Structure formats: C-alpha cells, structure tokens
Amino acid sequence: MEILWVLMALVVLGFVLLPFLRRRRGGIELVPAGHPDAADPANYGFVREEELDIRMPGPDQDLLDVLAVVQRTQDYRAAQQLLAGTETEGELRWQRVQAFAGAAALELQQRPGGVSQTPGGQWLRVWRTEEPKDPGGAAVHAEFLVQQAWRTSTPGTDDFRIIMEEAQDACGQAALLAPGDPIPYIVELSVARGLDYSQPEFERLWLKILDRAPAHMGAHLAALHYWCEKWHGSREEATSFAEAAAARAPGGSLLAAMPLFAVFEHLPEVNLVSGFYQSEVVRKAVHGALFAVQSARPDDPMAAHVRHLLVFFLVRSERWSEAMNQLIHVDGHVGALPWTLSADPAAEFAVYRALAVAGYEANGGSPASLPH
C-alpha cells in the first residue's frame, strides 16, 4: 500500500510540473519555470489559465449577454425571450436551460437570504410567479430543483428525496405546458437516477424522449449515467446503451462518440498503466469520437463536449498532434467533462494543454505546422 501512495504522489507531482516541460525530439523532460526550452501554450494563441471560462464547454455569446443582463437587473424577461427564440428540439435549448438553472442555483448558494437580504436567484421565482404557463420558465425551474438536490444534499437522505420529488412534480408541470418539448423529460432523467427509478420506469421515460428527439446528444449523455455501474446499471449495460446509440446515429450526428463517454465513466480510479490508453477498446472509442466531430455540423453545440473528452484521451494516449487539433477548437472554454470533475477545472485543463504542447513540440511540431 505504501508504494502505491508513493507512486500516486509522483504522478501528482508530475502533473503540477507539466507546464515546465522541455521539448526534445523523442522525449519530454521537466525543466525549471522560465527555462527557455519550456513548452509555452501562449505561442499557439491559447488563452491564459486565469482567463479560461469554466461556465460553458464552448462559446454562446447570446447566452452570456442575457445572463449578464438578468444577473445585473434581476429581471427574468431577457432569459424568457432567449429561450422562446431557441429551437425546442435542439441541443442549444437544453444547454441554455441548464445554464439559467445553474446561474440561479449559484446565486442562491452565494446569497441564501435572511432578514435583511433578498435570496439569490429571486428572478427565477418571480418568473414562475408572473408567468406560470411559460414553458421556458417551467423547464428552468425543474432543472434548478434538480441541481439544488445534488448541490445541497446527499443522495439517499430525506432532504435529497424531498427536493427530488418536488423536481419530479415540476418536470410533469413543464411537460404539460409543452407536450412536444423533450427537455422536461431530459431533466427527469436526473430525477430518475436520484429517486432510483426501476429499469422499466426509466425505459418508459426514455421512450418519451426518443419520440420527441431521437438523436439528442445531451439526452443520451444524461441517460448514460443511469446505466453506469456507479448508479443503476453496469459497465456492460452502459457500453451496450452507448454502442446502440452510435449504431443508429444518423449522418452528421455526434452519437457516434457515445462509446467514448461510456469508457470514461468506467475508468479505473487509479490507473498507472499507460498501455490502457492504447488498448483496442480506447482506440475504437476514440476513432468513433473523431469521426463524429469531423462529420458534425461546425456549429453543433455538443461538439465541444466531445472535443474536450477527446483532448483527455488523446493526451493520455500520447497522440499529441491530434490532441492539438482538438485544442484549437475548444481552447478558452472548459465547462465540460472531464475538467468539471476537478475542484479547479481551468488548472486541470491547463495541465493537459501543456502536455499536448510539449508532446507536439517534442515530435517536431511548432505553431507554424499546426493547422487552424
């Protein structure tokens, strides 16, 4: 056991020092900070670590502008208008619902309220009160309750169940307001995981989503959690779900990347064997994800999610050039797996980015040879 902890400490130390890497053909060496041979991501126009946006996986300026207005004025109407103008079945609407709910939850956490203080996220409460039949506000409220359950309580406790049951009711109300909208049911996927839906119950919920948005990537990612070993399924069931989604993916769909997410969800907690990332399972999943992002629409809002996970696997596989090709598409935003699992997503992303740069240059790459 002692040797395992020593090895883990060495791995952690290595990651801390990764920004200070020397580029030498055929190898990567640690060097002191400021060394002239240290790999420098700034040479590629990459964003400084402290300027990385941890809120979203990729750019959505309209959302950022509206969030700024809502949080400054505490007036929900700009958010209402943005959602009303966003395609119902698309991925972008789901991301925006999550973002508004997350913003309200974070505000409430920062300002819980009291005798002389209005609680944060009050604009969402006003939205639901003044516009009770607005489907956008209803969906955001349901997602807000789900996020509150996971943020503020522990699964299995009475507090958690009470909030989740309230979220379940909110999902039902949102679904009644917009019968063709898949989002209330996508929100309920997280409720299903938290309230231990049986597999038949979960499958009935899933069919409602497939009837409305059969190729919705965000919905598939949410459903994958239920089938994972750590929740209500197994490695085999999660893999089967992901592979089935990839097999029926229409042309241009990112569903071909689903097996890579299934592999990620079942990574060993401590994996010191680098050969795992060159294994056939990982190679096949990475190949599917690369195909997915190459064939997807350039403006597909879910492409950034896939590219971020590809950076993780490509760096671990020492496929430096391919990792760099993904980084040029997503650099600047780090609100996606795997970085969001870290207490400091920007620092985690910056470590992998430094590794990619160092490995790329160690094998003859340079800013001039990287396509943009």
Side-chain angles (χ1 to χ4, degrees):
M1 181 61 72
E2 288 78 5
I3 187 63
L4 178 59
W5 285 110
V6 170
L7 289 171
M8 289 177 65
L10 289 173
V11 170
V12 172
L13 179 61
F15 275 106
V16 171
L17 296 175
L18 283 175
F20 315 122
L21 293 167
R22 172 181 294 171
R23 301 95 67 194
R24 297 173 67 96
R25 184 173 296 274
I28 304 173
E29 299 177 6
L30 296 176
V31 298
H35 190 285
D37 281 342
D40 187 359
N43 292 338
Y44 295 84
F46 291 149
V47 175
R48 292 162 59 92
E49 179 183 330
E50 58 270 25
E51 296 174 355
L52 291 168
D53 190 327
I54 65 174
R55 295 170 295 180
M56 298 185 301
D60 184 350
Q61 194 58 49
D62 288 341
L63 173 62
L64 291 179
D65 292 344
V66 167
L67 269 175
V69 169
V70 170
Q71 293 180 319
R72 185 180 70 252
T73 65
Q74 291 295 295
D75 187 330
Y76 65 87
R77 283 174 291 185
Q80 180 185 34
Q81 292 169 4
L82 183 65
L83 285 184
T86 306
E87 181 188 8
T88 301
E89 296 81 11
E91 306 282 355
L92 191 59
R93 181 179 171 85
W94 170 230
Q95 291 192 16
R96 287 173 171 177
V97 165
Q98 288 180 298
F100 287 132
L106 182 59
E107 282 185 37
L108 182 59
Q109 179 182 340
Q110 294 171 341
R111 300 195 314 277
V115 176
S116 60
Q117 183 185 52
T118 301
Q122 185 67 18
W123 54 269
L124 179 54
R125 296 178 183 83
V126 175
W127 188 354
R128 291 296 294 131
T129 301
E130 294 185 353
E131 299 285 351
K133 294 185 178 181
D134 177 46
V140 172
H141 180 237
E143 174 65 15
F144 166 81
L145 291 170
V146 166
Q147 293 194 27
Q148 277 296 94
W150 294 110
R151 284 171 182 261
T152 64
S153 52
T154 303
T157 63
D158 288 343
D159 286 347
F160 181 83
R161 177 165 288 276
I162 289 169
I163 301 174
M164 274 298 185
E165 287 176 349
E166 188 179 355
Q168 187 181 44
D169 290 341
C171 289
Q173 294 170 22
L176 289 174
L177 291 171
D181 189 348
I183 289 182
Y185 301 103
I186 298 174
V187 176
E188 193 179 349
L189 291 173
S190 188
V191 175
R193 182 160 49 98
L195 292 183
D196 302 334
Y197 281 24
S198 68
Q199 291 192 1
E201 287 177 309
F202 185 86
E203 287 168 350
R204 285 194 291 272
L205 171 62
W206 182 239
L207 285 175
K208 293 177 182 178
I209 294 170
L210 292 183
D211 285 344
R212 291 162 175 79
H216 199 290
M217 181 70 173
H220 280 79
L221 291 177
L224 177 65
H225 290 298
Y226 178 91
W227 294 112
C228 285
E229 190 173 67
K230 60 189 174 184
W231 287 106
H232 307 298
S234 64
R235 181 189 302 266
E236 292 73 24
E237 286 174 308
T239 299
S240 177
F241 174 80
E243 290 180 348
R248 67 171 181 268
S253 168
L254 287 164
L255 290 178
M258 284 298 299
L260 189 64
F261 286 88
V263 171
F264 178 76
E265 290 294 337
H266 294 90
L267 287 177
E269 289 188 16
V270 179
N271 182 8
L272 301 178
V273 182
S274 61
F276 169 78
Y277 292 94
Q278 283 89 39
S279 68
E280 181 61 24
V281 169
V282 172
R283 280 202 303 269
K284 184 178 178 181
V286 166
H287 177 76
L290 286 169
F291 171 78
V293 294
Q294 288 164 4
S295 59
R297 299 191 330 267
D299 62 344
D300 191 318
M302 292 302 293
H305 287 272
V306 180
R307 293 187 187 278
H308 279 291
L309 197 61
L310 274 169
V311 170
F312 172 87
F313 277 98
L314 291 169
V315 167
R316 288 293 188 98
S317 303
E318 300 181 6
R319 295 166 64 169
W320 314 115
S321 180
E322 290 168 291
M324 292 292 286
N325 285 330
Q326 299 306 317
L327 282 168
I328 62 176
H329 289 284
V330 298
D331 188 74
H333 298 84
V334 295
L337 287 175
W339 327 121
T340 50
L341 296 179
S342 168
D344 189 343
E348 186 79 0
F349 174 82
V351 163
Y352 276 79
R353 186 176 64 182
L355 260 181
V357 170
Y360 182 64
E361 295 186 356
N363 289 277
S366 70
S369 62
L370 184 67
H372 286 78

